[in-house]
Amino acid sequence: GWQASVKSGSLSCFLPCHRLPVQLTSQVRVYTSNGQKKHLGSEDTKGSTPEETLHKAGTGRQDKTNAGQKQSVLKEPIQVKVKAVLKKREYGPKYTKNNFITGVRAINEFCLKSSDLDQLRKIKRRSPHDDTETFTVYLRSDVEAKSLEVWGSPEALARERKRRKEAEIKYREKLFRNQRLLWEYKEFFGNTKPRSSAAAMFFKGPGKVVMVAICINGLNFFFKLLAWVYTGSASMFSEAIHSLADTCNQALLALGISQSARTPDPSHPYGFTNMRYIASLISGVGIFMMGAGLSWYHGIIGLLHPHPIESLLWAYCILAGSLVSEGGMQLQELFLFNNVFGFFFFVVVYAVVQSHDPSTNVVLLEDAAAVLSVAIAATCMGLTSLTGNPYYDSVGSLGVGTLLGSVSAFLIYTNTEALLGRSIQPERLQRLTELLESDAVVRAIHDVKATDLGMSKVRFKAEVDFDGRVVTRSYLEKQDIEQLLQEIQQVKNLEELEAFMLKHGENIIDTLGAEVDRLEKDLKQRNPDVRHVDLEIL
């Protein structure tokens, strides 16, 4: 029980140790990958210090007393757990042997015929399109092997691809020349082709409103221009410019409507709906430059250089006719969109807010501004007639310019927001999110985005955390459980286990894809305005 000696000056004393050192040495076996064993536990004492030697001498007696205990520890069996894992398979940076390609792509990219594909393995897969459930695909490795069999070598296949690419370029050039000749033929002999769907759009809905507005504003511009030439009124000049700007802008809207009716192509997969917003944006800029700018300019010139105004009788008559035509067109537009009549200003604001068509908004705002500008011009011209002061007429021109500037600013802002991709209302987004979260297969939804594409079209995107247990159960409900149990009992080694897991793992992934398709289809059916749904697996 005496551990060490402590020296203090010339006095030496021994301090008793209350803790008996017990050293248990055990043998540890380490198994390496080549099956060899290494013995650890015997310490090297060659480099031990005198203090360590003294410590070992002091503990030697305890080692002898515990010899029996150490022998019993060494005699215990050693259990080693070995973890069996599959060898990791290296696929490399590019691996396309398991890829599927369609028949059209196989024919175009590998220069094959449809008869060549008849000899290959056909695989049925889920279709990405809503109109078909399954479609036929081929293994890319089989198609590549078949193309080498047909063409003999990769060099011959590359030469054939190059030849077909050159032929395609020549075909496109020839097609362009033929289309130009056909256009010239139509211009010379007249177009006898039946009315297309784009032309039919101008006989109903917003297209009809735009065409009627073009005709009425064109007539108003002609008569207002005559009245300005006769009277020299600044307010009448502003009204004439206003009608000209409306006519040109609505012609742009008609162009945007016709272009938006084009069918989507590979370069524009989401179609040309935004052409209406682009036309409306250009229309707003045109109103600001032509209408507001010229009205302000003429009003300022009238204030700086006033001149007497001739008889305004014809101007009043033309303004009255313009008021009747513009007001009648405004009423027709409001009837067209089934709005309830009340106070004029609130009715127009309600119609603009409820309408998702930019062409409709432009026409409604322009006609509303036209009616108000006629009232402003008539009031200022009346004050000029009563007082003989031409400054009132110039002030009327500035008022009309300010009104047009306000309308143009609103149109530029709204159409810019639409082109940038504004989000839908939070209430609608919440309903779409709750619809997905109420499904049993969905655990959570993250990063939800819903963009208004215009024309009552919405694109919805979300990252979905799927419940793997529900997906697996959905797969098991469609399987024969007894047969599946027999397959499990027949698994005897790692190779059979790997084949079993790969088979059913691929089927479970297909089930997950089917669940995604089901969710997207339900979302579109319950919300017709949602045209494009992108659900990403989290």
Side-chain angles (χ1 to χ4, degrees):
W2 303 96
Q3 184 178 8
S5 63
V6 179
K7 295 182 179 181
S8 176
S10 60
L11 178 63
S12 300
C13 62
F14 291 91
L15 299 178
C17 180
H18 299 284
R19 295 178 297 173
L20 295 179
V22 179
Q23 182 180 4
L24 295 179
T25 60
S26 60
Q27 189 178 30
V28 181
R29 299 179 184 180
V30 178
Y31 288 82
T32 61
S33 58
N34 55 4
Q36 298 178 355
K37 294 187 297 182
K38 294 182 180 180
H39 296 273
L40 299 178
S42 60
E43 299 179 353
D44 189 6
T45 59
K46 292 181 179 181
S48 59
T49 61
E51 288 78 4
E52 293 176 350
T53 306
L54 179 61
H55 176 72
K56 293 179 181 179
T59 56
R61 188 176 296 104
Q62 284 77 12
D63 292 342
K64 292 179 181 180
T65 56
N66 297 329
Q69 182 179 359
K70 288 188 288 185
Q71 291 178 0
S72 61
V73 172
L74 293 176
K75 291 180 181 180
E76 293 181 357
I78 298 176
Q79 297 180 357
V80 179
K81 294 183 179 180
V82 180
K83 182 179 180 181
V85 296
L86 291 176
K87 182 180 179 181
K88 184 178 180 180
R89 181 175 298 180
E90 298 293 339
Y91 293 99
K94 184 177 180 180
Y95 185 81
T96 59
K97 292 183 179 180
N98 294 337
N99 288 11
F100 293 145
I101 60 175
T102 60
V104 175
R105 185 179 172 189
I107 293 174
N108 293 334
E109 294 186 8
F110 295 92
C111 306
L112 298 176
K113 300 178 181 179
S114 57
S115 58
D116 298 331
L117 300 179
D118 296 338
Q119 305 172 6
L120 303 180
R121 290 179 292 176
K122 299 179 178 61
I123 303 173
K124 294 290 184 179
R125 301 294 295 176
R126 291 183 302 103
S127 175
H129 308 289
D130 296 334
D131 53 350
T132 56
E133 294 183 358
T134 59
F135 72 127
T136 303
V137 294
Y138 303 88
L139 273 175
R140 184 186 180 93
S141 57
D142 294 347
V143 175
E144 291 177 349
K146 187 63 179 180
S147 64
L148 293 179
E149 178 185 347
V150 172
W151 296 104
S153 64
E155 292 77 11
L157 178 60
R159 288 193 298 268
E160 179 63 19
R161 288 176 176 173
K162 184 178 179 180
R163 186 190 67 80
R164 294 193 179 189
K165 187 65 176 180
E166 294 174 352
E168 182 181 358
I169 295 175
K170 292 180 180 179
Y171 171 77
R172 289 182 178 179
E173 294 176 352
K174 185 178 180 181
L175 180 62
F176 176 76
R177 289 195 298 267
N178 292 338
Q179 289 178 346
R180 186 172 182 178
L181 291 174
L182 182 60
W183 180 78
E184 294 177 354
Y185 171 82
K186 291 178 180 179
E187 288 292 323
F188 184 76
F189 292 101
N191 189 4
T192 58
K193 184 179 178 180
R195 184 180 292 115
S196 62
S197 58
M201 295 180 63
F202 294 104
F203 292 90
K204 59 181 180 179
K208 182 180 178 180
V209 173
V210 171
M211 294 305 296
V212 172
I214 290 175
C215 297
I216 293 179
N217 286 321
L219 292 175
N220 288 337
F221 165 70
F222 178 73
F223 289 113
K224 289 177 181 179
L225 184 64
L226 292 179
W228 170 70
V229 173
Y230 179 74
T231 61
S233 171
S235 297
M236 187 55 65
F237 174 79
S238 299
E239 280 299 304
I241 294 299
H242 185 184
S243 297
L244 177 62
D246 288 349
T247 304
C248 296
N249 293 329
Q250 285 154 7
L252 284 174
L253 293 179
L255 178 63
I257 291 174
S258 63
Q259 292 296 317
S260 65
R262 295 168 57 186
T263 56
D265 55 22
S267 300
H268 305 84
Y270 290 104
F272 298 86
T273 305
N274 286 338
M275 281 300 300
R276 296 197 180 192
Y277 292 103
I278 295 174
S280 300
L281 179 61
I282 298 174
S283 177
V285 176
I287 292 174
F288 185 82
M289 295 180 63
M290 292 181 61
L294 290 176
S295 298
W296 284 333
Y297 171 78
H298 206 72
I300 294 173
I301 293 297
L303 291 175
L304 296 177
H305 306 286
H307 58 85
I309 300 176
E310 303 295 334
S311 176
L312 298 177
L313 178 61
W314 287 105
Y316 291 141
C317 295
I318 293 174
L319 285 178
S322 177
L323 181 62
V324 172
S325 61
E326 297 284 358
M329 186 167 58
Q330 187 79 59
L331 295 179
Q332 180 187 2
E333 294 161 3
L334 295 176
F335 271 123
L336 179 63
F337 294 100
N338 299 322
N339 288 307
V340 180
F341 285 92
F343 189 60
F344 178 77
F345 176 76
F346 295 103
V347 172
V348 174
V349 171
Y350 175 77
V352 170
V353 172
Q354 292 297 320
S355 176
H356 298 280
D357 189 352
S359 304
T360 304
N361 292 344
V362 172
V363 174
L364 285 171
L365 289 175
E366 285 183 350
D367 291 341
V371 173
L372 293 177
S373 64
V374 168
I376 294 173
T379 302
C380 293
M381 289 171 61
L383 292 174
T384 300
S385 300
L386 293 175
T387 62
N389 188 355
Y391 287 108
Y392 290 109
D393 185 62
S394 299
V395 171
S397 179
L398 293 176
V400 172
T402 303
L403 179 63
L404 292 177
S406 302
V407 172
S408 64
F410 176 77
L411 292 176
I412 292 173
Y413 171 76
T414 55
N415 288 284
T416 302
E417 287 290 318
L419 288 173
L420 290 176
R422 59 189 174 190
S423 179
I424 63 175
Q425 292 81 3
E427 295 77 12
R428 297 178 61 194
L429 184 61
Q430 183 66 23
R431 288 197 300 268
L432 296 175
T433 304
E434 291 177 353
L435 180 61
L436 286 178
E437 289 179 340
S438 61
D439 197 282
V441 78
V442 176
R443 278 180 174 171
I445 299 177
H446 308 279
D447 194 19
V448 181
K449 295 183 179 67
T451 308
D452 189 357
L453 300 179
M455 300 299 297
S456 300
K457 296 180 180 178
V458 175
R459 179 180 180 182
F460 182 83
K461 178 261 178 186
E463 293 187 1
V464 183
D465 184 6
F466 287 90
D467 192 341
R469 294 177 178 270
V470 177
V471 175
T472 306
R473 182 175 294 277
S474 176
Y475 168 71
L476 293 177
E477 290 174 353
K478 302 174 183 178
Q479 306 299 317
D480 188 352
I481 299 300
E482 295 183 357
Q483 182 179 359
L484 188 62
L485 183 60
Q486 293 178 1
E487 293 180 7
I488 296 174
Q489 293 175 352
Q490 292 176 359
V491 174
K492 302 300 182 182
N493 50 39
L494 293 179
E495 289 76 11
E496 294 180 357
L497 177 62
E498 180 182 4
F500 175 82
M501 295 298 296
L502 291 177
K503 172 187 174 182
H504 292 281
E506 183 177 5
N507 294 338
I508 292 175
I509 294 299
D510 291 340
T511 304
L512 178 59
E515 293 293 335
V516 173
D517 293 342
R518 179 183 62 81
L519 290 175
E520 293 179 351
K521 187 176 180 180
D522 292 345
L523 203 63
K524 292 179 181 179
Q525 287 180 350
R526 299 187 183 185
N527 301 272
D529 55 343
V530 179
R531 303 295 181 87
H532 307 283
V533 180
D534 300 326
L535 298 182
E536 300 180 4
I537 302 174
L538 185 62

